[in-house]
Amino acid sequence: IGSVPVNIADRDTVAVRSLLAGENWIIFPEGEMVKDRKVVSARRFLLHEPDLDIHRPPHTGAAVIALKAQLAAGLVSDFADRYRLTKIFDLEKLSPFEVRIVPVNITYWPQRFLKTRFARGVERLVSLLTRGAPSRRFQEELVVESSLLRRGAQITINFGVARSAVTYAAWLQEKDYSPVFRGRQTGAFDRAVRSMMTDYMRDIYDLITVNPDHLIARLLFSLTARRRHREPWEDVKNRVFCAALGVREIPRIVCHP
């Protein structure tokens, strides 16, 4: 299906070559489904890693690949212009070359943690094939993703405005990125990558579709924090309804229909 394993040695080279050829890539910077809805801690993007039970930042692979492809196109274009090789090797397309990251948010609702018969069957099959218990992360994602096959599950996909790698490439001088193509990172390149990652992750989470799960979870958290554990159910429903009306009035918020 055109997928590339993330653990192959020449992954970045394969991706950069593909981008320079004009192909598109789909990359999941989180590396997994976000099931606990918590993505920010101390004003930083942090995600929970179930297998290690730690919180980590999103992966920077998309930014690294985009920036490498943008810089490589610039290097080849400059070299071709300097020695008048553009027309000989048909490199005109590299002059206006621009790598763009299009943020996409996928929100599913309702979130169910019910182990279906399908999930139990897959878990048994994996256990037989691997001769061991599946990882905690695999079990969590299997439970959640298999529940999306049940009746009533809805998935919303929102696309944002493309973010250009040219902006971040302009921050770097040749001494900042030439070592990167020889396998050595530099501080300036790393800062540009992390800045790009932070920007496109903010774009992604700005596109999240607010649904009843979000409102109810936030309300229950607020009531618990105020030690109001015996709120009448009718009051809870009224509060959720009022919250939904209020959220719809907030600019740039995408609401579940």
Side-chain angles (χ1 to χ4, degrees), residues 32-46:
E32 59 183 290
M33 297 181 73
V34 179
K35 298 172 285 293
D36 59 3
R37 311 292 191 187
K38 186 174 183 180
V39 296
V40 178
S41 179
R43 302 181 68 178
R44 294 173 55 210
F45 290 118
L46 289 174

Side-chain angles (χ1 to χ4, degrees), residues 27-175:
I27 298 176
F28 297 89
E30 294 160 333
E32 59 183 290
M33 297 181 73
V34 179
K35 298 172 285 293
D36 59 3
R37 311 292 191 187
K38 186 174 183 180
V39 296
V40 178
S41 179
R43 302 181 68 178
R44 294 173 55 210
F45 290 118
L46 289 174
L47 308 171
H48 183 248
E49 183 69 55
D51 286 346
L52 303 176
D53 197 22
I54 61 172
H55 284 82
R56 57 161 180 81
H59 298 302
T60 56
V64 170
I65 291 168
L67 204 50
K68 278 186 175 181
Q70 189 65 60
L71 293 167
L75 285 171
V76 175
S77 181
D78 291 345
F79 181 83
D81 289 342
R82 185 183 307 170
Y83 295 99
R84 301 181 180 179
L85 303 174
T86 303
K87 291 184 178 180
I88 296 176
F89 291 99
D90 190 25
L91 298 174
E92 289 91 343
K93 64 181 181 180
L94 287 181
S95 182
F97 186 83
E98 181 182 12
V99 180
R100 288 172 289 181
I101 293 181
V102 180
V104 181
N105 184 284
I106 304 173
T107 310
Y108 55 94
W109 180 82
Q111 189 179 60
R112 302 186 180 102
F113 289 94
L114 303 173
K115 184 169 286 190
T116 61
R117 282 184 294 179
F118 174 77
R120 285 192 289 268
V122 171
E123 193 170 305
R124 283 196 296 269
L125 178 61
V126 171
S127 298
L128 289 172
L129 293 175
T130 61
R131 297 184 179 181
S135 68
R136 180 179 172 186
R137 172 178 168 181
F138 178 87
Q139 293 178 39
E140 281 188 5
E141 298 203 0
L142 178 62
V143 168
V144 174
E145 293 185 31
S146 65
S147 69
L148 297 178
L149 302 176
R150 296 169 66 95
R151 186 185 301 274
Q154 299 179 31
I155 298 177
T156 306
I157 304 176
N158 296 316
F159 293 83
V161 178
R163 195 172 277 277
S164 175
V166 173
T167 303
Y168 306 89
W171 299 353
L172 303 173
Q173 300 178 15
E174 186 174 349
K175 65 181 178 64

Side-chain angles (χ1 to χ4, degrees), residues 241-250:
F241 178 75
C242 291
L245 294 179
V247 166
R248 288 183 179 276
E249 300 299 322
I250 302 176

Side-chain angles (χ1 to χ4, degrees), residues 216-228 239:
I216 294 172
R218 179 59 193 172
L219 177 60
L220 294 177
F221 178 82
S222 177
L223 292 174
T224 302
R226 289 182 287 169
R227 300 183 181 279
R228 300 179 61 174
R239 285 172 182 265

